[in-house]
Amino acid sequence: MRPDLRAYLLGDDGHRVFGPGPVDLLERVGELGSLRAAAIEMGMAYTKATRLVRDAERAFGFALTERTVGGSGGGGSQLTAEARELIERYRAFERTSRWALSASYETCFSGFADVPRLGCVVMASGEGARFGGAPGEKLVAPLAGVPVLERTLAALPADLLDVVVVTRWDAVEELCRRLGVRCVRAAGPLKSDTMRAGLEALGHRAGCLFVTGDQPLLSEKSVRSMVAALTHEPTAIVRLAWRGRAANPVLWPNDTLGALARLEGDTGGRVLLDGHAELEGRVRLVEAADERELADVDTPEDLARLECETKGTGSFVSFQK
């Protein structure tokens, strides 16, 4: 299954004045040096070809062809400079329109029929030095009896997202194996290493959600709302927020993923937004239902506080494959 597009230019009266047929005709005129020969090659009546050219000339206000005289064929037609510029502009418009259509289709139909779901990279490579213990230990530490990372994974709906956990730690890999979650190793200790490994593992996607593995109170409802926001506006950069304060996770559209994969150093996607007004203008915030959704676990005290705040609420669910 794939989308299709026919890009037409309409006059002020709403009637088509230029599109796939006329541009093909003009390109053949340029190749063959004859409007009549171009029409014959396309299986089109010469009267129709003449009408298409004349209608377009009236709409644009300049000539598209000019007669040539002499030669073995007794004369013909050649394109004007304006016609060549029109062809170039139209083809560029057509290419970008097709790209936008494809991106929108893959986003709006992600997970439907044969269209891949959106990707999700769970960042689980940090050492967690402030938490203490073995590197990565905080991600498997229990919160109300369930590992922190498992609670984060529970918020990621399998019908919307293909999830890959990126880590450097055996304990995280073992937890993912137990849960049946795909896990890959980062090539290095930097955030950019983790992001790149996740994107490479997922392959082409219409968009990708980046989630920190130590965000255990993230809710599935909020993640679904973020995906809905991207589906509504396929070029948006969607961020979870609380009272207008942007935070993690972040859902990036397809046209930004290449730049994310090329990042270097211990930096995340924020570096793409800093100083880039066009990207900043595409950020859309989705309000979390609770401020605690934005909390991450950096220290044992953070973990203890979250345990106290959530005890008895019944708000946690275990990961379901």
Side-chain angles (χ1 to χ4, degrees), residues 110-126:
S110 60
F112 183 84
D114 59 348
V115 182
R117 286 183 285 269
L118 297 173
C120 177
V121 174
V122 179
M123 312 275 286
S125 292

Side-chain angles (χ1 to χ4, degrees), residues 14 63 68 76 86 109 131 149 166 186 197 202 206 236 239 241 244-245 262 267 278 288-289 315:
T68 59
L86 173 61
F109 284 86
F131 191 85
L149 177 59
V166 184
L202 288 166
R239 303 192 67 178
R245 177 175 65 85
R262 292 189 295 272
T267 56
E278 190 274 333
S315 61

Side-chain angles (χ1 to χ4, degrees), residues 123 190-193 195 260 263-271:
M123 312 275 286
L190 306 176
K191 287 181 182 178
S192 60
D193 297 323
M195 297 175 72
L260 291 173
L263 289 177
E264 299 289 343
D266 198 29
T267 56
R270 179 71 231 182
V271 71

Side-chain angles (χ1 to χ4, degrees), residues 2 38 65 115 118 132 175 179 291 306 314:
R2 62 181 178 84
T65 64
V115 182
L118 297 173
L175 175 62
L179 296 174
E291 183 179 13
L306 292 181

Side-chain angles (χ1 to χ4, degrees), residues 1-180:
M1 187 181 301
R2 62 181 178 84
D4 195 14
L5 173 73
R6 296 291 185 271
Y8 293 98
L9 303 181
L10 308 181
D12 293 338
D13 59 0
H15 289 91
R16 297 174 184 173
V17 297
F18 202 74
V23 76
D24 285 348
L25 180 64
L26 289 179
E27 286 177 333
R28 291 171 193 262
V29 171
E31 294 168 1
L32 301 173
S34 166
L35 179 59
R36 186 179 299 277
I40 292 172
E41 187 170 273
M42 293 179 66
M44 180 186 297
Y46 179 65
T47 53
K48 180 179 180 180
T50 302
R51 177 175 56 79
L52 289 177
V53 172
R54 297 295 174 260
D55 287 349
E57 288 177 333
R58 280 194 294 271
F60 292 115
F62 52 75
L64 296 173
T65 64
E66 54 189 9
R67 294 286 299 169
T68 59
V69 295
S72 59
S77 300
Q78 66 179 14
L79 299 180
T80 63
E82 292 83 357
R84 295 185 186 280
E85 181 179 0
L86 173 61
I87 291 171
E88 183 177 346
R89 288 177 180 270
Y90 175 83
R91 288 304 191 195
F93 166 67
E94 188 178 49
R95 285 193 302 273
T96 54
S97 297
R98 287 187 180 279
W99 178 89
L101 178 74
S102 178
S104 297
Y105 170 73
E106 290 179 353
T107 302
C108 296
F109 284 86
S110 60
F112 183 84
D114 59 348
V115 182
R117 286 183 285 269
L118 297 173
C120 177
V121 174
V122 179
M123 312 275 286
S125 292
E127 293 189 8
R130 292 175 59 194
F131 191 85
E137 183 174 311
K138 71 174 182 179
L139 294 172
V140 296
L143 174 57
V146 179
V148 167
L149 177 59
E150 183 173 347
R151 294 190 176 280
T152 303
L153 292 170
L156 308 175
D159 60 316
L160 298 181
L161 301 169
D162 281 339
V163 176
V164 60
V165 176
V166 184
T167 191
R168 294 185 291 144
W169 317 122
D170 292 343
V172 171
E173 196 167 43
E174 177 57 34
L175 175 62
C176 290
R177 185 180 299 112
R178 177 172 67 81
L179 296 174

